[in-house]
């Protein structure tokens, strides 16, 4: 067969590996629920080009590894470190696997409070937002010289404010119909990713993960990022989605020294005041910030993205 193309990229693995893990400390229980994507790269070309499966770590084995690590990894409750553990495993266990890409989506299980006291083993799904980890381990320079990129973030965090948001002085031309507003509803579904600097003085090995985990302190950093997102959204006198997202990312760089870059993607979920004058009802359309009845528009939505990198 004469071939017209060559294999210019190849990566494979398992996605939608769903696993929940209970950790019991006496009668105090903890739970995490993860959706894992684990993909591998390396000397795997012949599996595509020569039907040579000898180089293929089966995607079924990759799934098994995720489940085994959910049982055995001491880092299972700390999603970013657990992702690093899995990624380091794949690139050090198999000589011919040079890169591992581990993405984890963590579903929300918050401890239920009863009479103001955290319950020992009962949890509630009190939000649709997911915590995200993206981890890439690279052993191209050998198993003793693994490097990794680590991002933490979240998606589907739905927020809305009924004041403290304007959109004025935007570019006007013959395509413009939008009126300026000094007071509008601002609603968005927050997607955010923070690039984490790994401690430069600690070699990246599985044995050093406890020390790396201690240094990075994700149980403190992840809630801090959420706090920055929510408090900036609430408090910022928003001139636009663009301006508010920029302030949010600056605040995260300020409060989290391990974050070296932040990216956000924000839909502008429009709430459009409804004209009720046909029914002799004043819906406050003539008064800024006066409308009470809105159409929550399903589409289209604005879509604003940006990245801020530490200087
Ligand atoms: O915050 C906003 N940014 C925009 O770029 C934009 N464009 C628009 O029509 N409304 C808005 N709001």
């Amino acid at each position: 067969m004469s071939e017209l193309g060559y294999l210019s990229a190849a990566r494979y693995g398992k996605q939608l590996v769903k696993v929940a893990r209970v950790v019991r400390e006496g009668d105090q229980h903890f739970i995490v629920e993860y959706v894992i994507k684990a993909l591998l790269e390396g000397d795997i070309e012949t599996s595509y080009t020569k039907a040579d499966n000898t180089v293929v770590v089966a995607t079924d084995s990759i799934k098994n590894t995720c489940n085994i690590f959910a049982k055995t990894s001491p880092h299972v409750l700390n999603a970013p470190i657990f992702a690093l553990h899995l990624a380091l495993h794949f690139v050090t266990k198999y000589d011919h696997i040079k890169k591992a890409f581990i993405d984890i989506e963590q579903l929300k299980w918050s401890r239920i409070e009863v009479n103001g006291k955290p319950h020992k083993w009962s949890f509630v799904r009190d939000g649709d937002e997911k915590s995200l980890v993206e981890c890439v381990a690279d052993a191209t320079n050998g198993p003793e010289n693994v490097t990794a990129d680590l991002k933490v973030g979240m998606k589907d965090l739905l927020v809305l404010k009924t004041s403290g948001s304007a959109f004025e002085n935007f570019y006007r031309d013959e395509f413009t119909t939008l009126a300026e507003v000094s007071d509008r509803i601002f609603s968005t579904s927050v997607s955010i990713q923070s690039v984490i600097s790994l401690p430069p003085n600690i070699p990246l090995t599985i044995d050093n993960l406890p020390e790396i985990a201690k240094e990075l302190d994700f149980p403190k950093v992840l809630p801090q990022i959420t706090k920055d997102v929510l408090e900036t959204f609430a408090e910022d006198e928003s001139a636009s989605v663009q301006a508010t997202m920029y302030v949010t990312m600056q605040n995260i760089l300020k409060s989290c020294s391990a974050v070296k870059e932040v990216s956000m993607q924000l839909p502008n979920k429009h709430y459009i005041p409804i004209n009720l004058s046909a029914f002799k009802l004043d819906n406050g359309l003539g008064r800024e910030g006066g409308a009470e009845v809105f159409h929550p528009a399903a589409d289209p939505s604005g879509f604003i993205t940006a990245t801020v990198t530490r200087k």
Side-chain angles (χ1 to χ4, degrees):
M1 179 181 71
S2 88
E3 296 182 333
L4 298 181
Y6 66 96
L7 188 74
S8 52
R11 187 184 295 174
Y12 80 103
K14 210 71 144 186
Q15 64 172 350
L16 299 173
V17 180
K18 299 185 179 188
V19 61
R21 166 66 146 99
V22 176
V23 173
R24 300 185 179 86
E25 288 179 4
D27 61 2
Q28 170 90 349
H29 296 185
F30 301 83
I31 184 160
V32 287
E33 185 168 339
Y34 293 150
V35 183
I36 304 171
K37 180 155 81 176
L39 304 183
L40 307 179
E41 280 186 12
D43 299 330
I44 55 174
E45 293 88 342
T46 54
S47 66
Y48 296 82
T49 58
K50 308 274 187 234
D52 167 21
N53 286 343
T54 62
V55 296
V56 179
V57 177
T59 70
D60 191 64
S61 312
I62 296 171
K63 173 263 296 173
N64 289 343
T65 305
C66 295
N67 291 334
I68 292 164
F69 271 54
K71 166 70 178 162
T72 59
S73 173
H75 308 290
V76 67
L77 295 180
N78 185 340
I81 304 295
F82 181 61
L84 265 176
H85 193 182
L86 270 172
L88 287 171
H89 166 79
F90 283 117
V91 299
T92 53
K93 167 83 179 163
Y94 305 105
D95 281 349
H96 71 296
I97 296 302
K98 305 300 183 190
K99 290 188 182 179
F101 302 78
I102 308 294
D103 294 355
I104 300 180
E105 192 175 301
Q106 180 173 3
L107 305 182
K108 199 155 184 247
W109 285 121
S110 302
R111 200 173 286 282
I112 292 176
E113 289 203 353
V114 179
N115 297 325
K117 260 183 56 192
H119 197 266
K120 286 181 285 199
W121 54 69
S122 300
F123 303 85
V124 57
R125 172 70 42 80
D126 58 345
D128 285 335
E129 71 268 31
K130 289 97 186 163
S131 294
L132 305 175
V133 180
E134 291 173 45
C135 178
V136 184
D138 183 342
T140 311
N141 295 322
E144 278 84 48
N145 300 296
V146 181
T147 58
D149 295 327
L150 185 62
K151 290 183 196 168
V152 299
M154 71 178 126
K155 68 172 185 182
D156 300 337
L157 179 69
L158 190 57
V159 291
L160 180 150
K161 62 196 286 187
T162 55
S163 189
S165 166
F167 189 59
E168 297 170 302
N169 302 318
F170 48 87
Y171 193 96
R172 299 202 83 87
D173 62 14
E174 68 274 27
F175 293 95
T176 311
T177 56
L178 187 69
E180 307 211 346
V181 275
S182 63
D183 195 352
R184 64 173 182 176
I185 287 182
F186 176 8
S187 178
T188 189
S189 175
V190 178
S191 286
I192 184 164
Q193 306 85 33
S194 299
V195 179
I196 301 297
S197 302
L198 294 174
N201 47 337
I202 309 174
L204 186 55
T205 63
I206 289 174
D207 285 347
N208 285 341
L209 284 178
E211 205 185 334
I212 293 169
K214 196 163 164 225
E215 180 96 3
L216 292 175
D217 202 3
F218 286 114
K220 212 156 103 193
V221 167
L222 301 180
Q224 179 63 44
I225 292 174
T226 307
K227 182 171 148 74
D228 288 333
V229 166
L230 292 178
E231 292 186 358
T232 310
F233 177 78
E235 291 285 321
D236 186 49
E237 274 301 322
S238 176
S240 65
V241 176
Q242 287 90 330
T244 298
M245 83 196 298
Y246 184 72
V247 174
T248 304
M249 292 186 282
Q250 292 290 356
N251 285 341
I252 289 168
L253 290 181
K254 213 176 293 171
S255 66
C256 303
S257 58
V259 174
K260 65 175 166 196
E261 185 170 280
V262 196
S263 298
M264 293 184 83
Q265 305 81 36
L266 298 182
N268 189 3
K269 297 169 72 70
H270 304 299
Y271 280 67
I272 300 162
I274 297 173
N275 187 345
L276 296 174
S277 60
F279 313 100
K280 304 213 162 17
L281 290 169
D282 174 11
N283 192 28
L285 299 196
R287 299 187 304 282
E288 295 281 288
E292 293 174 313
V293 182
F294 298 83
H295 172 64
D299 49 63
S301 60
F303 190 67
I304 317 293
T305 74
T307 299
V308 173
T309 305
R310 196 182 286 280
K311 288 182 191 165

